[in-house]
Amino acid sequence: MTRKPLHALVCSCLVVLALSFAPPAGAADAVPPDKHLEQGLKALERGAFDDAVVSLSEAARLYERSRQPTAQVAALMPLARAYAALGQYRQAIKTLEAALELTKKSGGRGRMAAVLADLGNAHIAIGSWPAAEGYLTNSLSLARRLGDSALAAAILNDLGNLSAMNKKYPEAIAAYRESIVLAKRAGHRPLTARALTNAAGALRVNGEPQEAETSLDAAFDLLRQLDPSHDTAFGLTTVGLAYRDLRPALPSSSARLSLRGSDALNQAAAVAETLGDRRTASYAWGYLGGLYEDEGRYAEALQLTRKAIFAAQQVNAPESLYRWQWQAGRLLKKLGTVDDALAAYRRAVLTLQSIRPELSATYGGLQTSFRESVGPVYFELVDLLLQRAASLPNRDQVGAYLVEAREAVELLKAAELRDYFRDDCVDTLLSKTTSLDVVSRTAVVVYPILLPDRTELLVSLPTGLKRFSVPVGAAALTREVRELRRKLEKRTTREYLPHAQRLYEWLVRPLEADLTSLRIDTLVFVPDGPLRTIPVGALHDGKQFLVEKYALAITPGLSLTDPRPINRQGLKVLAVGVTEPVQGFPPLPNVSVELDALRSLFGSTNLLNQDFVVSRLEKELKDERFTIVHVASHGHFGGDVRDTFLLAFDDKLTIDRLDQLVGVFKFRDDPLDLLTLSACDTAAGDDRAALGLAGVAVKAGARSAVATLWDINDRVSADLVAEFYRELGNPSISRASALRRAQMKILADPRYEHPGFWSPFLLINNWL
């Protein structure tokens, strides 16, 4: 769906601030603001968005200096569009908010409607849909009262986009159709074509492919009649992609649709070339290469892809460059030049590392995570590296490929955490890393990599990194994981057992001989994707659970761990919790038992019920350097960090707020050693939620965390936690061993031997 110029999948880490473009005062004043405005609008028209930002920022600055608010708004609005085209949606919103304030002061209902409409579109881009709907509804009402058909048509197009994103396709189609009528009435052919293209997309998804094709044909015919412009080139590119996407719904017309798609993309490239719009030309050539790839025309596809790469490099567009480098890697692999394919994939990953996921990963804040969007780039590189390692006769050469494969997955894991928590908290810990391979001679790190046709296990043994390949693909393993998780929570049956045994056979059995011969006592898993949602301690070898054989821990990534033993000298513990029913959550009467145990063991500072309010917690954390913070209250980790919280007596403590409170420890010589969350849960089957749980120690700046994957029996939780802390007081055992002993004690009780009671407790990050 389209409205403005091409929206990037990801954008540069550096937000381009308008002020950074301001030239020296004398030079700026030599050129009148109207000239800067004219230059900016022309740059915007030809797709030179960086140039547009420079000129329009300067025009706005000069208009502000000369106190011309109406002219300033006239510069700020296209400036916001330039930011949006560069993927910098939040900067666009700031710019539009400034324009809105000026418009409120200077008046003008037409301009007010236009600013509100652009704000609505910008909020769609960051996924802030309620705000978007409010702005768009208000602006549509104003536009209708003013009789501005063109503006009303543009707003209806955006409202159609919003409905489509919410999967309300009939509503979207109705909005697009009204937009088409009004755009035709206003004689606005580019907008008519845009609404026709969007209507085609909604009609296709709504099961009306013939109508979609008719709508696309009408859009294509209109676009071919328009003068060359960035919007024309962008519209033709979008039509080309829409024809491609329509092919599965109309298999009998597939050849025609492919031909029309190729024609549209070729014309888009030609228009962009005429304008010197290398950014849009890059997309047109790249997508055309993808179309040829689908048709098996690999050599032609590679030639087009290389043109797309060169154009993207010319305009410094990493958000598209990585796509075409990735595409080149796929094509080179299909053409049998594996070394060249590896080089292309490596370049794609390197480009991705230079950019980060913006909060609005795509226009509309579509519900795709960073992993879903670009994870395949990393995993296809890893697959190639592991295949190359398997083909090498010289074992001495294998290690480098295995290490590179693991490092590629590490890069993805770090990016996933940044994406989930919506900040760069990960980077704070990257400077504190130690290679886990050399931390302990009796612990091994098990690194599962889930690929479409197999599961690879990279295991850091004291003798070196070793690879095990299991012929079970990601889809089959995921199904088994989902079943185990679902049945572990049914604590009255043993239905979990076949799944626990099957996963043991796949994930642990291949390693057993090495683990036994090397006398390993601790397994540290770096779970990926669905494996984050289950407790590995519940895996079963047919006789006993894995936790009965080894101390266990998980970590979200090797480079995210700060492996130092807990300092047991002068332990200072803060224990907080809620026993009473608050904010609609049930009581947790045994929380008082947990807190009493901590007080008796460590003389902890306890805040219970009315004392556990956010302001008091903040004061305690600022005033004292605690070693351990224990939170015994309801908590929830959702697929979106905005749905993640811990329950204080007076409020929900968001993960960002927790970061602000506990995160002060990040900047001390001795960070928080342990954060315990003893009553949190994640939704079954929600890999993103489990990622948030696994990353909580990283986010909070703690060396390690103990948390639960799902709600468990209040009494069991109190007993297990008390036993864990008793064992932790013994300086001769690790955190992982302390948790194992506590779980074994619960397992020995016939009432609670089912793993649904004891296994959801996870030790996260540092296990020493």
Side-chain angles (χ1 to χ4, degrees), residues 82 195 215 372 383 593 617 698 707:
S215 189
E372 292 168 323
D383 194 357
V593 177
L617 177 65
V698 177

Side-chain angles (χ1 to χ4, degrees), residues 491-529:
R491 298 168 200 166
T492 56
T493 77
R494 290 171 61 84
E495 294 175 28
Y496 69 86
L497 196 54
H499 308 290
Q501 291 176 341
R502 202 165 291 126
L503 285 167
Y504 186 97
E505 293 299 317
W506 295 343
L507 299 174
V508 182
R509 188 76 72 188
L511 329 177
E512 280 187 328
D514 289 279
L515 300 179
T516 301
S517 66
L518 294 167
R519 298 183 179 179
I520 299 302
D521 60 22
T522 302
L523 302 183
V524 182
F525 281 84
V526 189
D528 190 50

